């Protein structure tokens, strides 16, 4: 199952709703971790850590958790969980991602702690990875008018697959998920 390719770049983004959905991408989001600003080692793996300041982020709060019961278009609470979206080139330079694994990453999105994201030229977001291991909870207000893209149905299903892999430790086929 790990050899199942990720969606093609041209199938990743589409405008689908006016309300927020899991997988939406934002710019200008305050991000940070309570760790030193450096790459740290954990066994034979490296992870980027530290105060990220303001940057790109992906919403990972499940869409159904945000919706108010019986009130279409309204949100149930103001809390959102996002993960930083970090330029792939920077992750390679810092040693968190091996340059030799880029071909496999671009084709299969095979790393459990990340989600591959094609560049969004109109928002000046380079080819990036969402750091699934680094969630931050913040108020909905930080995301207002900051959305730069929504995932397509195909990419939203891929996100669910990657989240199940990261948080649950199981790798499923895309067909096991629905948007």
């Amino acid at each position: 199952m790990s050899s199942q390719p990720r969606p093609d770049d041209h199938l990743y983004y589409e405008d689908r709703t006016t309300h927020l959905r899991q997988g939406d991408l934002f710019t200008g989001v305050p991000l940070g971790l309570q760790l030193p600003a450096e790459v740290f080692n954990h066994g034979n793996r490296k992870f980027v850590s530290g105060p990220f300041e303001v940057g790109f982020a992906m919403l990972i709060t499940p869409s159904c958790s945000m919706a108010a019961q019986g009130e279409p278009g309204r949100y149930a609470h103001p809390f959102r969980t996002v993960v930083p979206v970090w330029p792939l080139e920077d992750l390679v330079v810092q040693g968190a991602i091996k340059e030799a694994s880029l071909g496999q990453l671009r084709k299969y999105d095979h790393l459990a702690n990340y989600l591959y994201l094609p560049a969004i030229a109109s928002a000046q977001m380079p080819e990036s990875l969402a750091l699934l291991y680094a969630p931050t909870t913040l108020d909905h207000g930080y995301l207002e008018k900051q959305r730069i893209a929504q995932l397509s149905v195909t990419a939203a299903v891929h996100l669910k697959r990657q989240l199940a892999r990261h948080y649950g430790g199981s790798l499923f086929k895309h067909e096991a998920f629905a948007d």
Side-chain angles (χ1 to χ4, degrees), residues 22 61-69 76:
Q22 183 180 51
T61 303
S63 301
C64 61
S65 294
M66 294 185 293
Q69 298 289 327

Side-chain angles (χ1 to χ4, degrees), residues 21-155:
R21 294 183 59 92
Q22 183 180 51
D24 285 1
L25 290 157
F26 301 88
T27 189
V29 177
L31 303 165
L33 296 173
Q34 293 72 40
L35 298 167
E38 59 189 41
V39 173
F40 68 94
N41 294 321
H42 182 74
N44 62 352
R45 291 181 162 172
K46 291 184 178 189
F47 296 89
V48 174
S49 68
F52 289 130
E53 300 176 7
V54 173
F56 296 105
M58 173 179 271
L59 181 65
I60 62 166
T61 303
S63 301
C64 61
S65 294
M66 294 185 293
Q69 298 289 327
E71 297 182 50
R74 292 191 34 117
Y75 297 108
H77 58 80
F79 305 106
R80 305 290 173 257
T81 302
V82 298
V83 293
V85 172
W86 206 253
L88 182 56
E89 183 178 310
D90 290 355
L91 292 167
V92 171
V93 168
Q94 294 181 41
I97 301 294
K98 294 176 184 169
E99 192 165 358
S101 71
L102 290 178
Q104 292 288 315
L105 177 64
R106 289 178 176 126
K107 184 173 183 178
Y108 297 112
D109 199 5
H110 67 295
L111 301 176
N113 296 314
Y114 304 94
L115 174 76
Y116 176 85
L117 295 168
I120 303 173
S122 62
Q124 299 179 330
M125 185 185 96
E127 177 183 40
S128 300
L129 296 179
L131 309 182
L132 301 179
Y133 65 83
T136 300
T137 301
L138 47 77
D139 183 87
H140 177 90
Y142 285 111
L143 304 178
E144 288 290 326
K145 298 182 171 78
Q146 298 298 99
R147 182 166 59 189
I148 58 169
Q150 286 189 300
L151 294 182
S152 67
V153 171
T154 302

Side-chain angles (χ1 to χ4, degrees), residues 154-175:
T154 302
V157 165
H158 182 65
L159 169 62
K160 289 180 182 186
R161 176 182 181 258
Q162 288 298 98
L163 289 171
R165 182 178 190 188
H166 175 71
Y167 289 107
S170 298
L171 182 60
F172 299 95
K173 289 187 176 188
H174 289 105
E175 294 79 21

